[in-house]
Amino acid sequence: MLEATIIPTMASTTDQPTVMGPVPLPFNNAIAAGDVPAVDPGLLEEYESIISSLPSNPKMHLNCYQGAWVQRTWVPGIIAIQRGHFTPRHGDVVLVSPPKCGTTWLKALAFATMARRVHPPPPAAAAAAAADVDAQQHPLLRLNPHDCVPFMEKLFAAGLGSRMDALPSPRLMATHMHHSLLPTSISDNPDCKIIYICRDPKDMLVSMWQFARRILPELQFYNVFELACEGRCLSGPIWDHILGYWNASKTSPENVLFLRYEEMLQYPNDNVRKLAQFVGQPFSPDEEEAGVVMDIVRLCSFEKMKNLKVNEADSSPIQVPRNTTFANDSFFRRGGAGDWTNHMTPEMAGRLDAIMNEKLHGTGISFS
Ligand SMILES: Nc1ncnc2c1ncn2[C@@H]1O[C@H](COP(=O)(O)OS(=O)(=O)O)[C@@H](OP(=O)(O)O)[C@H]1O
């Protein structure tokens, strides 16, 4: 670890400079302050012409870009990242997931783990004492995890990608991009660590449908299910998304950590230890003795996060760029595994399992 230095915290525009160690800073509206730079009209025209040539699903606002179904508005961001507008740095950690597979949870856990020396997670006693002012200082008690860890393609699509350069190392960021979409400057870069999380696709689809219904109330679960089976739902083909990172984790285990939502639910402490080790910040015997692992798991638990004031329905999201569509509460619905049994017939579940089994056959990973 480098020695602690005086650098300004980004926690809020009014915060005073604070003694900080080399930890990720919450990436929130402070860093997005100022005018959004105008995107070159020529570039916009080029993006538009690329997008208009892509296979599309207008109802779902999706396009198929280089074999992956992505949200239309993210395509310019993906292109910008592929063209080298993002400059990786030693110490960068990229969190990757298909949507609705535990992104929010992983953002919280990775942030809490990597920032623990400057922002210790509140210990059990302090967490119980609501009046404990110090305990409330933790960024994750005042910010939604999406305000702490930027979503790369959205940021670049908004012309704000260069603001990542302002973040000190180590930087923590997230993407939903398929492995095949990543530029080699990320995917083949030993300086850049990737932490991947996936989930039983059946639960992922239920979660995705429930989320999408907030803006598309007429959307039927059956439609999302069919699209997924055809490989055309958001981040589809799902099997390609999972396999890309699964294979990379086998080839380069020191660069790609592959996690599963269901295993995280079952063994949260072990998985947080794995994460800390992977990013080069293993828990010391003193931290183990003090219960820091459990403190992080408790701070980031579904129950804790869902019940925070910042994550209530009327809490305004400050994500960068601003997400006016989904309120913070939409990221914490039910949690847990197995909700698919309430929405799929056994035939539907069997069909999706069979497709996944066929696609993942012989790879060493399965979901049934
Ligand atoms: N802390 C924590 N622990 C366990 N589970 C959690 C947590 N936070 C969010 N969730 C559940 O994750 C689902 C949302 O997935 P994502 O966070 O990937 O969504 S997004 O892609 O960022 O929009 C969604 O799952 P469902 O409840 O099944 O819809 C969330 O409830």
mmCIF file with all atom_site columns, all heavy atoms in Angstrom, residues 149-175:
data_model
loop_
_atom_site.group_PDB
_atom_site.id
_atom_site.type_symbol
_atom_site.label_atom_id
_atom_site.label_alt_id
_atom_site.label_comp_id
_atom_site.label_asym_id
_atom_site.label_entity_id
_atom_site.label_seq_id
_atom_site.pdbx_PDB_ins_code
_atom_site.Cartn_x
_atom_site.Cartn_y
_atom_site.Cartn_z
_atom_site.occupancy
_atom_site.B_iso_or_equiv
_atom_site.pdbx_formal_charge
_atom_site.auth_seq_id
_atom_site.auth_comp_id
_atom_site.auth_asym_id
_atom_site.auth_atom_id
_atom_site.pdbx_PDB_model_num
ATOM 1   N N   . VAL A 1 149 ? -19.969 3.393  -7.970  1.00 0.00 ? 149 VAL A N   1
ATOM 2   C CA  . VAL A 1 149 ? -19.194 2.706  -9.015  1.00 0.00 ? 149 VAL A CA  1
ATOM 3   C C   . VAL A 1 149 ? -19.820 3.017  -10.375 1.00 0.00 ? 149 VAL A C   1
ATOM 4   O O   . VAL A 1 149 ? -20.970 2.657  -10.623 1.00 0.00 ? 149 VAL A O   1
ATOM 5   C CB  . VAL A 1 149 ? -19.190 1.174  -8.767  1.00 0.00 ? 149 VAL A CB  1
ATOM 6   C CG1 . VAL A 1 149 ? -18.339 0.468  -9.818  1.00 0.00 ? 149 VAL A CG1 1
ATOM 7   C CG2 . VAL A 1 149 ? -18.696 0.850  -7.362  1.00 0.00 ? 149 VAL A CG2 1
ATOM 8   N N   . PRO A 1 150 ? -19.096 3.703  -11.256 1.00 0.00 ? 150 PRO A N   1
ATOM 9   C CA  . PRO A 1 150 ? -19.690 4.122  -12.532 1.00 0.00 ? 150 PRO A CA  1
ATOM 10  C C   . PRO A 1 150 ? -19.901 2.984  -13.515 1.00 0.00 ? 150 PRO A C   1
ATOM 11  O O   . PRO A 1 150 ? -19.149 2.005  -13.522 1.00 0.00 ? 150 PRO A O   1
ATOM 12  C CB  . PRO A 1 150 ? -18.668 5.115  -13.089 1.00 0.00 ? 150 PRO A CB  1
ATOM 13  C CG  . PRO A 1 150 ? -17.376 4.705  -12.486 1.00 0.00 ? 150 PRO A CG  1
ATOM 14  C CD  . PRO A 1 150 ? -17.698 4.150  -11.130 1.00 0.00 ? 150 PRO A CD  1
ATOM 15  N N   . PHE A 1 151 ? -20.928 3.150  -14.328 1.00 0.00 ? 151 PHE A N   1
ATOM 16  C CA  . PHE A 1 151 ? -21.276 2.178  -15.367 1.00 0.00 ? 151 PHE A CA  1
ATOM 17  C C   . PHE A 1 151 ? -20.645 2.688  -16.660 1.00 0.00 ? 151 PHE A C   1
ATOM 18  O O   . PHE A 1 151 ? -21.059 3.712  -17.220 1.00 0.00 ? 151 PHE A O   1
ATOM 19  C CB  . PHE A 1 151 ? -22.796 2.100  -15.449 1.00 0.00 ? 151 PHE A CB  1
ATOM 20  C CG  . PHE A 1 151 ? -23.314 1.129  -16.457 1.00 0.00 ? 151 PHE A CG  1
ATOM 21  C CD1 . PHE A 1 151 ? -22.800 -0.149 -16.552 1.00 0.00 ? 151 PHE A CD1 1
ATOM 22  C CD2 . PHE A 1 151 ? -24.338 1.483  -17.320 1.00 0.00 ? 151 PHE A CD2 1
ATOM 23  C CE1 . PHE A 1 151 ? -23.282 -1.049 -17.483 1.00 0.00 ? 151 PHE A CE1 1
ATOM 24  C CE2 . PHE A 1 151 ? -24.834 0.595  -18.253 1.00 0.00 ? 151 PHE A CE2 1
ATOM 25  C CZ  . PHE A 1 151 ? -24.295 -0.669 -18.335 1.00 0.00 ? 151 PHE A CZ  1
ATOM 26  N N   . MET A 1 152 ? -19.645 1.973  -17.153 1.00 0.00 ? 152 MET A N   1
ATOM 27  C CA  . MET A 1 152 ? -18.761 2.517  -18.183 1.00 0.00 ? 152 MET A CA  1
ATOM 28  C C   . MET A 1 152 ? -19.450 2.906  -19.494 1.00 0.00 ? 152 MET A C   1
ATOM 29  O O   . MET A 1 152 ? -19.285 4.025  -19.989 1.00 0.00 ? 152 MET A O   1
ATOM 30  C CB  . MET A 1 152 ? -17.658 1.510  -18.496 1.00 0.00 ? 152 MET A CB  1
ATOM 31  C CG  . MET A 1 152 ? -16.705 1.292  -17.347 1.00 0.00 ? 152 MET A CG  1
ATOM 32  S SD  . MET A 1 152 ? -15.549 -0.030 -17.697 1.00 0.00 ? 152 MET A SD  1
ATOM 33  C CE  . MET A 1 152 ? -14.441 0.763  -18.859 1.00 0.00 ? 152 MET A CE  1
ATOM 34  N N   . GLU A 1 153 ? -20.235 1.977  -20.067 1.00 0.00 ? 153 GLU A N   1
ATOM 35  C CA  . GLU A 1 153 ? -20.765 2.294  -21.396 1.00 0.00 ? 153 GLU A CA  1
ATOM 36  C C   . GLU A 1 153 ? -21.763 3.444  -21.346 1.00 0.00 ? 153 GLU A C   1
ATOM 37  O O   . GLU A 1 153 ? -21.880 4.229  -22.295 1.00 0.00 ? 153 GLU A O   1
ATOM 38  C CB  . GLU A 1 153 ? -21.351 1.069  -22.114 1.00 0.00 ? 153 GLU A CB  1
ATOM 39  C CG  . GLU A 1 153 ? -22.293 0.196  -21.342 1.00 0.00 ? 153 GLU A CG  1
ATOM 40  C CD  . GLU A 1 153 ? -21.589 -0.932 -20.589 1.00 0.00 ? 153 GLU A CD  1
ATOM 41  O OE1 . GLU A 1 153 ? -20.576 -0.642 -19.926 1.00 0.00 ? 153 GLU A OE1 1
ATOM 42  O OE2 . GLU A 1 153 ? -22.077 -2.077 -20.629 1.00 0.00 ? 153 GLU A OE2 1
ATOM 43  N N   . LYS A 1 154 ? -22.468 3.559  -20.188 1.00 0.00 ? 154 LYS A N   1
ATOM 44  C CA  . LYS A 1 154 ? -23.427 4.656  -20.058 1.00 0.00 ? 154 LYS A CA  1
ATOM 45  C C   . LYS A 1 154 ? -22.687 5.999  -19.948 1.00 0.00 ? 154 LYS A C   1
ATOM 46  O O   . LYS A 1 154 ? -23.077 7.001  -20.549 1.00 0.00 ? 154 LYS A O   1
ATOM 47  C CB  . LYS A 1 154 ? -24.248 4.402  -18.794 1.00 0.00 ? 154 LYS A CB  1
ATOM 48  C CG  . LYS A 1 154 ? -25.591 5.036  -18.779 1.00 0.00 ? 154 LYS A CG  1
ATOM 49  C CD  . LYS A 1 154 ? -26.446 4.367  -17.734 1.00 0.00 ? 154 LYS A CD  1
ATOM 50  C CE  . LYS A 1 154 ? -26.967 5.374  -16.754 1.00 0.00 ? 154 LYS A CE  1
ATOM 51  N NZ  . LYS A 1 154 ? -27.649 4.780  -15.620 1.00 0.00 ? 154 LYS A NZ  1
ATOM 52  N N   . LEU A 1 155 ? -21.603 5.959  -19.186 1.00 0.00 ? 155 LEU A N   1
ATOM 53  C CA  . LEU A 1 155 ? -20.802 7.163  -18.990 1.00 0.00 ? 155 LEU A CA  1
ATOM 54  C C   . LEU A 1 155 ? -20.198 7.643  -20.322 1.00 0.00 ? 155 LEU A C   1
ATOM 55  O O   . LEU A 1 155 ? -20.277 8.821  -20.672 1.00 0.00 ? 155 LEU A O   1
ATOM 56  C CB  . LEU A 1 155 ? -19.687 6.814  -18.006 1.00 0.00 ? 155 LEU A CB  1
ATOM 57  C CG  . LEU A 1 155 ? -18.967 7.942  -17.324 1.00 0.00 ? 155 LEU A CG  1
ATOM 58  C CD1 . LEU A 1 155 ? -19.908 8.673  -16.397 1.00 0.00 ? 155 LEU A CD1 1
ATOM 59  C CD2 . LEU A 1 155 ? -17.786 7.403  -16.525 1.00 0.00 ? 155 LEU A CD2 1
ATOM 60  N N   . PHE A 1 156 ? -19.631 6.703  -21.071 1.00 0.00 ? 156 PHE A N   1
ATOM 61  C CA  . PHE A 1 156 ? -19.011 7.069  -22.345 1.00 0.00 ? 156 PHE A CA  1
ATOM 62  C C   . PHE A 1 156 ? -20.068 7.474  -23.368 1.00 0.00 ? 156 PHE A C   1
ATOM 63  O O   . PHE A 1 156 ? -19.829 8.370  -24.181 1.00 0.00 ? 156 PHE A O   1
ATOM 64  C CB  . PHE A 1 156 ? -18.129 5.926  -22.871 1.00 0.00 ? 156 PHE A CB  1
ATOM 65  C CG  . PHE A 1 156 ? -16.761 5.915  -22.248 1.00 0.00 ? 156 PHE A CG  1
ATOM 66  C CD1 . PHE A 1 156 ? -16.534 5.221  -21.067 1.00 0.00 ? 156 PHE A CD1 1
ATOM 67  C CD2 . PHE A 1 156 ? -15.720 6.634  -22.804 1.00 0.00 ? 156 PHE A CD2 1
ATOM 68  C CE1 . PHE A 1 156 ? -15.280 5.233  -20.462 1.00 0.00 ? 156 PHE A CE1 1
ATOM 69  C CE2 . PHE A 1 156 ? -14.463 6.660  -22.214 1.00 0.00 ? 156 PHE A CE2 1
ATOM 70  C CZ  . PHE A 1 156 ? -14.239 5.953  -21.038 1.00 0.00 ? 156 PHE A CZ  1
ATOM 71  N N   . ALA A 1 157 ? -21.245 6.834  -23.303 1.00 0.00 ? 157 ALA A N   1
ATOM 72  C CA  . ALA A 1 157 ? -22.318 7.202  -24.239 1.00 0.00 ? 157 ALA A CA  1
ATOM 73  C C   . ALA A 1 157 ? -22.773 8.636  -23.988 1.00 0.00 ? 157 ALA A C   1
ATOM 74  O O   . ALA A 1 157 ? -23.224 9.320  -24.902 1.00 0.00 ? 157 ALA A O   1
ATOM 75  C CB  . ALA A 1 157 ? -23.491 6.242  -24.094 1.00 0.00 ? 157 ALA A CB  1
ATOM 76  N N   . ALA A 1 158 ? -22.631 9.093  -22.743 1.00 0.00 ? 158 ALA A N   1
ATOM 77  C CA  . ALA A 1 158 ? -23.048 10.455 -22.406 1.00 0.00 ? 158 ALA A CA  1
ATOM 78  C C   . ALA A 1 158 ? -21.924 11.466 -22.637 1.00 0.00 ? 158 ALA A C   1
ATOM 79  O O   . ALA A 1 158 ? -22.061 12.641 -22.286 1.00 0.00 ? 158 ALA A O   1
ATOM 80  C CB  . ALA A 1 158 ? -23.500 10.508 -20.955 1.00 0.00 ? 158 ALA A CB  1
ATOM 81  N N   . GLY A 1 159 ? -20.814 11.012 -23.167 1.00 0.00 ? 159 GLY A N   1
ATOM 82  C CA  . GLY A 1 159 ? -19.696 11.924 -23.429 1.00 0.00 ? 159 GLY A CA  1
ATOM 83  C C   . GLY A 1 159 ? -18.931 12.295 -22.172 1.00 0.00 ? 159 GLY A C   1
ATOM 84  O O   . GLY A 1 159 ? -18.177 13.266 -22.142 1.00 0.00 ? 159 GLY A O   1
ATOM 85  N N   . LEU A 1 160 ? -19.129 11.489 -21.094 1.00 0.00 ? 160 LEU A N   1
ATOM 86  C CA  . LEU A 1 160 ? -18.493 11.807 -19.817 1.00 0.00 ? 160 LEU A CA  1
ATOM 87  C C   . LEU A 1 160 ? -17.327 10.878 -19.477 1.00 0.00 ? 160 LEU A C   1
ATOM 88  O O   . LEU A 1 160 ? -16.807 10.908 -18.371 1.00 0.00 ? 160 LEU A O   1
ATOM 89  C CB  . LEU A 1 160 ? -19.530 11.722 -18.682 1.00 0.00 ? 160 LEU A CB  1
ATOM 90  C CG  . LEU A 1 160 ? -20.608 12.806 -18.687 1.00 0.00 ? 160 LEU A CG  1
ATOM 91  C CD1 . LEU A 1 160 ? -21.745 12.430 -17.739 1.00 0.00 ? 160 LEU A CD1 1
ATOM 92  C CD2 . LEU A 1 160 ? -20.015 14.147 -18.296 1.00 0.00 ? 160 LEU A CD2 1
ATOM 93  N N   . GLY A 1 161 ? -16.942 10.054 -20.450 1.00 0.00 ? 161 GLY A N   1
ATOM 94  C CA  . GLY A 1 161 ? -15.921 9.047  -20.173 1.00 0.00 ? 161 GLY A CA  1
ATOM 95  C C   . GLY A 1 161 ? -14.618 9.631  -19.665 1.00 0.00 ? 161 GLY A C   1
ATOM 96  O O   . GLY A 1 161 ? -13.958 9.041  -18.805 1.00 0.00 ? 161 GLY A O   1
ATOM 97  N N   . SER A 1 162 ? -14.248 10.814 -20.177 1.00 0.00 ? 162 SER A N   1
ATOM 98  C CA  . SER A 1 162 ? -12.944 11.372 -19.788 1.00 0.00 ? 162 SER A CA  1
ATOM 99  C C   . SER A 1 162 ? -12.908 11.702 -18.295 1.00 0.00 ? 162 SER A C   1
ATOM 100 O O   . SER A 1 162 ? -11.831 11.849 -17.722 1.00 0.00 ? 162 SER A O   1
ATOM 101 C CB  . SER A 1 162 ? -12.630 12.618 -20.613 1.00 0.00 ? 162 SER A CB  1
ATOM 102 O OG  . SER A 1 162 ? -13.625 13.585 -20.374 1.00 0.00 ? 162 SER A OG  1
ATOM 103 N N   . ARG A 1 163 ? -14.077 11.802 -17.677 1.00 0.00 ? 163 ARG A N   1
ATOM 104 C CA  . ARG A 1 163 ? -14.068 12.107 -16.235 1.00 0.00 ? 163 ARG A CA  1
ATOM 105 C C   . ARG A 1 163 ? -13.536 10.952 -15.400 1.00 0.00 ? 163 ARG A C   1
ATOM 106 O O   . ARG A 1 163 ? -13.196 11.130 -14.236 1.00 0.00 ? 163 ARG A O   1
ATOM 107 C CB  . ARG A 1 163 ? -15.461 12.506 -15.780 1.00 0.00 ? 163 ARG A CB  1
ATOM 108 C CG  . ARG A 1 163 ? -15.866 13.776 -16.515 1.00 0.00 ? 163 ARG A CG  1
ATOM 109 C CD  . ARG A 1 163 ? -17.008 14.501 -15.916 1.00 0.00 ? 163 ARG A CD  1
ATOM 110 N NE  . ARG A 1 163 ? -17.308 15.619 -16.806 1.00 0.00 ? 163 ARG A NE  1
ATOM 111 C CZ  . ARG A 1 163 ? -18.267 16.469 -16.606 1.00 0.00 ? 163 ARG A CZ  1
ATOM 112 N NH1 . ARG A 1 163 ? -19.020 16.352 -15.556 1.00 0.00 ? 163 ARG A NH1 1
ATOM 113 N NH2 . ARG A 1 163 ? -18.479 17.451 -17.462 1.00 0.00 ? 163 ARG A NH2 1
ATOM 114 N N   . MET A 1 164 ? -13.453 9.785  -16.002 1.00 0.00 ? 164 MET A N   1
ATOM 115 C CA  . MET A 1 164 ? -12.850 8.667  -15.266 1.00 0.00 ? 164 MET A CA  1
ATOM 116 C C   . MET A 1 164 ? -11.368 8.920  -15.048 1.00 0.00 ? 164 MET A C   1
ATOM 117 O O   . MET A 1 164 ? -10.770 8.392  -14.124 1.00 0.00 ? 164 MET A O   1
ATOM 118 C CB  . MET A 1 164 ? -13.038 7.369  -16.042 1.00 0.00 ? 164 MET A CB  1
ATOM 119 C CG  . MET A 1 164 ? -14.475 6.992  -16.106 1.00 0.00 ? 164 MET A CG  1
ATOM 120 S SD  . MET A 1 164 ? -14.781 5.247  -16.026 1.00 0.00 ? 164 MET A SD  1
ATOM 121 C CE  . MET A 1 164 ? -13.847 4.712  -14.674 1.00 0.00 ? 164 MET A CE  1
ATOM 122 N N   . ASP A 1 165 ? -10.776 9.739  -15.955 1.00 0.00 ? 165 ASP A N   1
ATOM 123 C CA  . ASP A 1 165 ? -9.351  10.045 -15.807 1.00 0.00 ? 165 ASP A CA  1
ATOM 124 C C   . ASP A 1 165 ? -9.086  10.821 -14.516 1.00 0.00 ? 165 ASP A C   1
ATOM 125 O O   . ASP A 1 165 ? -7.974  10.805 -13.992 1.00 0.00 ? 165 ASP A O   1
ATOM 126 C CB  . ASP A 1 165 ? -8.857  10.882 -17.003 1.00 0.00 ? 165 ASP A CB  1
ATOM 127 C CG  . ASP A 1 165 ? -8.989  10.124 -18.310 1.00 0.00 ? 165 ASP A CG  1
ATOM 128 O OD1 . ASP A 1 165 ? -9.125  8.884  -18.252 1.00 0.00 ? 165 ASP A OD1 1
ATOM 129 O OD2 . ASP A 1 165 ? -8.990  10.773 -19.375 1.00 0.00 ? 165 ASP A OD2 1
ATOM 130 N N   . ALA A 1 166 ? -10.133 11.504 -14.022 1.00 0.00 ? 166 ALA A N   1
ATOM 131 C CA  . ALA A 1 166 ? -9.949  12.319 -12.817 1.00 0.00 ? 166 ALA A CA  1
ATOM 132 C C   . ALA A 1 166 ? -9.918  11.465 -11.552 1.00 0.00 ? 166 ALA A C   1
ATOM 133 O O   . ALA A 1 166 ? -9.535  11.949 -10.483 1.00 0.00 ? 166 ALA A O   1
ATOM 134 C CB  . ALA A 1 166 ? -11.088 13.341 -12.707 1.00 0.00 ? 166 ALA A CB  1
ATOM 135 N N   . LEU A 1 167 ? -10.338 10.226 -11.669 1.00 0.00 ? 167 LEU A N   1
ATOM 136 C CA  . LEU A 1 167 ? -10.356 9.367  -10.480 1.00 0.00 ? 167 LEU A CA  1
ATOM 137 C C   . LEU A 1 167 ? -8.957  8.857  -10.177 1.00 0.00 ? 167 LEU A C   1
ATOM 138 O O   . LEU A 1 167 ? -8.258  8.385  -11.072 1.00 0.00 ? 167 LEU A O   1
ATOM 139 C CB  . LEU A 1 167 ? -11.273 8.158  -10.709 1.00 0.00 ? 167 LEU A CB  1
ATOM 140 C CG  . LEU A 1 167 ? -12.774 8.377  -10.589 1.00 0.00 ? 167 LEU A CG  1
ATOM 141 C CD1 . LEU A 1 167 ? -13.511 7.096  -10.943 1.00 0.00 ? 167 LEU A CD1 1
ATOM 142 C CD2 . LEU A 1 167 ? -13.149 8.820  -9.183  1.00 0.00 ? 167 LEU A CD2 1
ATOM 143 N N   . PRO A 1 168 ? -8.558  8.917  -8.901  1.00 0.00 ? 168 PRO A N   1
ATOM 144 C CA  . PRO A 1 168 ? -7.253  8.339  -8.553  1.00 0.00 ? 168 PRO A CA  1
ATOM 145 C C   . PRO A 1 168 ? -7.325  6.816  -8.591  1.00 0.00 ? 168 PRO A C   1
ATOM 146 O O   . PRO A 1 168 ? -8.407  6.241  -8.476  1.00 0.00 ? 168 PRO A O   1
ATOM 147 C CB  . PRO A 1 168 ? -7.026  8.839  -7.121  1.00 0.00 ? 168 PRO A CB  1
ATOM 148 C CG  . PRO A 1 168 ? -8.392  9.105  -6.578  1.00 0.00 ? 168 PRO A CG  1
ATOM 149 C CD  . PRO A 1 168 ? -9.261  9.478  -7.750  1.00 0.00 ? 168 PRO A CD  1
ATOM 150 N N   . SER A 1 169 ? -6.185  6.178  -8.735  1.00 0.00 ? 169 SER A N   1
ATOM 151 C CA  . SER A 1 169 ? -6.148  4.709  -8.685  1.00 0.00 ? 169 SER A CA  1
ATOM 152 C C   . SER A 1 169 ? -6.198  4.262  -7.224  1.00 0.00 ? 169 SER A C   1
ATOM 153 O O   . SER A 1 169 ? -5.713  4.979  -6.350  1.00 0.00 ? 169 SER A O   1
ATOM 154 C CB  . SER A 1 169 ? -4.864  4.195  -9.326  1.00 0.00 ? 169 SER A CB  1
ATOM 155 O OG  . SER A 1 169 ? -4.882  4.506  -10.696 1.00 0.00 ? 169 SER A OG  1
ATOM 156 N N   . PRO A 1 170 ? -6.738  3.117  -6.911  1.00 0.00 ? 170 PRO A N   1
ATOM 157 C CA  . PRO A 1 170 ? -7.329  2.175  -7.847  1.00 0.00 ? 170 PRO A CA  1
ATOM 158 C C   . PRO A 1 170 ? -8.755  2.578  -8.196  1.00 0.00 ? 170 PRO A C   1
ATOM 159 O O   . PRO A 1 170 ? -9.517  2.990  -7.324  1.00 0.00 ? 170 PRO A O   1
ATOM 160 C CB  . PRO A 1 170 ? -7.326  0.864  -7.042  1.00 0.00 ? 170 PRO A CB  1
ATOM 161 C CG  . PRO A 1 170 ? -7.426  1.285  -5.616  1.00 0.00 ? 170 PRO A CG  1
ATOM 162 C CD  . PRO A 1 170 ? -6.733  2.604  -5.524  1.00 0.00 ? 170 PRO A CD  1
ATOM 163 N N   . ARG A 1 171 ? -9.077  2.458  -9.491  1.00 0.00 ? 171 ARG A N   1
ATOM 164 C CA  . ARG A 1 171 ? -10.433 2.815  -9.914  1.00 0.00 ? 171 ARG A CA  1
ATOM 165 C C   . ARG A 1 171 ? -11.304 1.564  -9.956  1.00 0.00 ? 171 ARG A C   1
ATOM 166 O O   . ARG A 1 171 ? -10.839 0.486  -10.322 1.00 0.00 ? 171 ARG A O   1
ATOM 167 C CB  . ARG A 1 171 ? -10.398 3.444  -11.308 1.00 0.00 ? 171 ARG A CB  1
ATOM 168 C CG  . ARG A 1 171 ? -9.647  4.752  -11.368 1.00 0.00 ? 171 ARG A CG  1
ATOM 169 C CD  . ARG A 1 171 ? -9.645  5.338  -12.764 1.00 0.00 ? 171 ARG A CD  1
ATOM 170 N NE  . ARG A 1 171 ? -9.008  4.461  -13.740 1.00 0.00 ? 171 ARG A NE  1
ATOM 171 C CZ  . ARG A 1 171 ? -8.862  4.774  -15.015 1.00 0.00 ? 171 ARG A CZ  1
ATOM 172 N NH1 . ARG A 1 171 ? -9.311  5.918  -15.477 1.00 0.00 ? 171 ARG A NH1 1
ATOM 173 N NH2 . ARG A 1 171 ? -8.258  3.936  -15.849 1.00 0.00 ? 171 ARG A NH2 1
ATOM 174 N N   . LEU A 1 172 ? -12.543 1.765  -9.568  1.00 0.00 ? 172 LEU A N   1
ATOM 175 C CA  . LEU A 1 172 ? -13.510 0.679  -9.577  1.00 0.00 ? 172 LEU A CA  1
ATOM 176 C C   . LEU A 1 172 ? -14.613 1.091  -10.531 1.00 0.00 ? 172 LEU A C   1
ATOM 177 O O   . LEU A 1 172 ? -15.153 2.203  -10.418 1.00 0.00 ? 172 LEU A O   1
ATOM 178 C CB  . LEU A 1 172 ? -14.048 0.526  -8.146  1.00 0.00 ? 172 LEU A CB  1
ATOM 179 C CG  . LEU A 1 172 ? -14.946 -0.652 -7.799  1.00 0.00 ? 172 LEU A CG  1
ATOM 180 C CD1 . LEU A 1 172 ? -14.320 -1.977 -8.174  1.00 0.00 ? 172 LEU A CD1 1
ATOM 181 C CD2 . LEU A 1 172 ? -15.250 -0.619 -6.299  1.00 0.00 ? 172 LEU A CD2 1
ATOM 182 N N   . MET A 1 173 ? -14.940 0.228  -11.500 1.00 0.00 ? 173 MET A N   1
ATOM 183 C CA  . MET A 1 173 ? -15.950 0.581  -12.502 1.00 0.00 ? 173 MET A CA  1
ATOM 184 C C   . MET A 1 173 ? -16.713 -0.667 -12.896 1.00 0.00 ? 173 MET A C   1
ATOM 185 O O   . MET A 1 173 ? -16.310 -1.784 -12.528 1.00 0.00 ? 173 MET A O   1
ATOM 186 C CB  . MET A 1 173 ? -15.288 1.233  -13.708 1.00 0.00 ? 173 MET A CB  1
ATOM 187 C CG  . MET A 1 173 ? -14.279 0.338  -14.371 1.00 0.00 ? 173 MET A CG  1
ATOM 188 S SD  . MET A 1 173 ? -12.903 1.252  -15.039 1.00 0.00 ? 173 MET A SD  1
ATOM 189 C CE  . MET A 1 173 ? -11.659 0.999  -13.803 1.00 0.00 ? 173 MET A CE  1
ATOM 190 N N   . ALA A 1 174 ? -17.800 -0.490 -13.645 1.00 0.00 ? 174 ALA A N   1
ATOM 191 C CA  . ALA A 1 174 ? -18.634 -1.649 -13.985 1.00 0.00 ? 174 ALA A CA  1
ATOM 192 C C   . ALA A 1 174 ? -19.092 -1.579 -15.428 1.00 0.00 ? 174 ALA A C   1
ATOM 193 O O   . ALA A 1 174 ? -19.168 -0.502 -16.027 1.00 0.00 ? 174 ALA A O   1
ATOM 194 C CB  . ALA A 1 174 ? -19.839 -1.700 -13.061 1.00 0.00 ? 174 ALA A CB  1
ATOM 195 N N   . THR A 1 175 ? -19.392 -2.763 -15.962 1.00 0.00 ? 175 THR A N   1
ATOM 196 C CA  . THR A 1 175 ? -19.920 -2.845 -17.330 1.00 0.00 ? 175 THR A CA  1
ATOM 197 C C   . THR A 1 175 ? -20.793 -4.087 -17.458 1.00 0.00 ? 175 THR A C   1
ATOM 198 O O   . THR A 1 175 ? -20.644 -5.040 -16.694 1.00 0.00 ? 175 THR A O   1
ATOM 199 C CB  . THR A 1 175 ? -18.770 -2.901 -18.370 1.00 0.00 ? 175 THR A CB  1
ATOM 200 O OG1 . THR A 1 175 ? -19.345 -3.052 -19.671 1.00 0.00 ? 175 THR A OG1 1
ATOM 201 C CG2 . THR A 1 175 ? -17.837 -4.072 -18.141 1.00 0.00 ? 175 THR A CG2 1
#
